[in-house]
Amino acid sequence: MRTWRTALLSACLPGGPGRPGVEELDLAPFWALFDSTAPPHLRLGLGLGAGVVGLLPLLLLRPPLPWQSAAARDATIRKLASWPAVGELVEIGKVVACLAVFHDPGVQAAVRS
Amino acid sequence: MTWIDGQSLREPLVLDADVAIVGSGPAGSAAARELAQAGARVVILEAGPWLRGDDFELSAFGAMSASYRGAGAAVVLGVPPMPLVQGRMVGGSSPINGAICWRMPRDIHDEWLAADPVLGESLGWDAISEATDAIEQRLGVAPTSPELAGRKNLLMAKGAEALGLEHRPIRRNVRGCVGSGRCMQGCPSGAKQSADRTLLADALEAGATLVSSAEVQQITHSAGRAVGLVARAGARVTVRADAVVLAASAVQTPGLLLANGIGQGPVGRNFQCHPGVSMAGRFAEPVRMWEGATQGHEVTGLRREGLKFEALGFGPGILAARLPGIGGELAAEVDRLAHWVDWGVAIRATARGRVRRLFGRTVVQFTPSPEDVGRFRRGLRVLGDMLLAAGAGLLAPGVRGFDRTVVDGRRLAELESRGPRGASAYLGAITHLFGTCRMGSDAASSVVRPDFRHHAIDRLWVADSSVFPTNLGVNPQIAIMALATICGRRVLESER
C-alpha cells in the first residue's frame, strides 16, 4: 500500500533543486503519525486516491503510476487532475504530499534557513 | 494547583465540587477563574491533553496531530465538506489560534438586544465592557508592533492603504513575542497568553482542580437538576457537583446535551460560523510568510459587509499545499515558497447549520448560502486587489472552475461578478462557531435563559459561544471570555 501512496505523493510533488523528493525521504515517522491520528475520511481518501490514481493510467494505455518514470508520472498526474472526481483525489494527494515532505526535519530546516 | 492527567489514571476517580465545568478553553477557563477566585470548589474536565512549549512541533502536521481535533482534518458535512478548525487540548482552541483579539462589536450587541430585549438584563453593555477590560489587561492585549510584524503583514498594510481600505495592526494576546510565526501550531516560547496560561492558571492558583484527557460522556441529572459529570479517561472520572457549567464549544456542548437526551429547545440548531477563503500571491522578492507575527495585520473597512481580512501565517507545508498546480508545476512553485503569501477573508455567514448526533458521533452540517458565496467572491476580489497593489505579480485564487492563476484586476472583477455560484467551487475552512444553545427569554426558541441557565435542567449552565444568538463577524475569543465571566457571576449569585 505504501508503494502506491508514495507514488501518488511523488507524482503530486516531485523533488526540486535542493529539495528531496518523496522517495528520497524517510517517511516512516510521517506515516506512523498519519496512520494513528488522521481521521478515517482522510485515510480513506488517500487510500482510494492511491489506488484509483495509481491504476487509472491503464485506461490511458500506460503502466500503473508506481511503475512510471518521473516524467511520465508528471504527465499522468496533470491529466488526471483535470478529470471530474479524480481531481478531488489528486487534491488529497497534493495536500498529504506537502504535509509529508515538510514533516521532514531536514526539509524544514532548509526552507527556514 | 491541582492537575490530574486523566490518561494516567488506573483507578476510578471521584471528586466533589461546588461547580463542575466541561472544557478548559476560553469559556471554561474564564468561568472557572471567576468561580474559583470567589471561593467556589471548581473541577474542570478537559478532553484534550495539556501541551506546552516543547510539545508544539515545528512540523505543521505534527502539531496538528497533537493538538487539533481530527489532526486538523475534521470536516463539516455540507456542500462542500469544509475543514472545521478546532483545538483539542487544555486551553481549547486558544493555544492554536492566531492570537487575534476583538472586543465584542457594539453593533452586534445592539442586534442581539433588538431581537430579544430581555438579554439586556444579564448582558448589559457596561457589564460586558468591564469584563472585557479586565480580560484584555490579564492577557496583555496590544497592537502588533511593526518590528515584529514581518513582511507579510506590512505588505497587507501597503495593499489596503493603496485601496483606501481601513486597516490596522492586529491586537494580539502576547507578551514577549519573538515572531516565530507558529501561533497556529502552538507557541514554542510561551509568549501567547492563551486561556491555559492566563485565566485557567488563575483558576488553578485559586484552588480549582483540572483533569485533562478526560472526555465527558454523561451529564448526571436527577429530578430535573444537574448533579455532576462522568468522564472517560484512563479510568472513569466522576464529579459530584452542586452545579454544572458546559463550556466545550458550540459543537461539543450541544453534542453532549443531545447525547444525554437533553433536547430542550433548538439545541444543535442555529449553528453559525465564519467560513474563510484565501488568495495566495507571489512577490518578486522573498516574503517568508512563516516569519513574523503569525497574524499581525487586518483590514476592517468592510466588516459591516460581513467581510474581515487577515494576513495569514502558517508553516511551509500548509502554504505549499495552497500553491497552484500539480506535479512539476507545483514543485516549481514550492521551490519559490519564500516568495508566496496567503491572505484570508473570514465572512460573517448568513447560512445556518446544525449540530446533531449520528451513529453515536457528533456531526456538524453546514452549507454556505448563495449570499455567503457572494461574499466569498467579493472577498477574494478585494484580497487580490490588495495583493496586486502591494506588488504581487501572480495570484492563485484557489477557486475550482476559475483561472488557476490571475495576473490582473480585470479578471478579479470578473471573479466577483461572474465567478462560480456554487459553494463547492471555493476552498475554505470554518472557524469561530456559535449559536447552537442560543440564549433567549423564550424557551421554545432558545436553550438557555438570558442568565445562561438551561431552560429545562436546574443547576445547569452553558458558558461558551453556543449561547451567542448570532455570529460576531470578528474573532470571538475575548467576547467568549467576557460572557463566560458574566456566566460565572450568575452561577455565584445563584449559590448565595
Side-chain angles (χ1 to χ4, degrees), chain A residues 12 17 37 39 41 74 94 103 112, chain B residues 59 65 73 288 323 325 327-328 335:
Chain A
C12 289
T37 65
H41 62 266
D74 195 49
K94 173 181 172 178
H103 188 67
R112 289 176 182 272
Chain B
S59 152
S65 295
R288 300 178 66 83
L323 301 187
D335 291 334

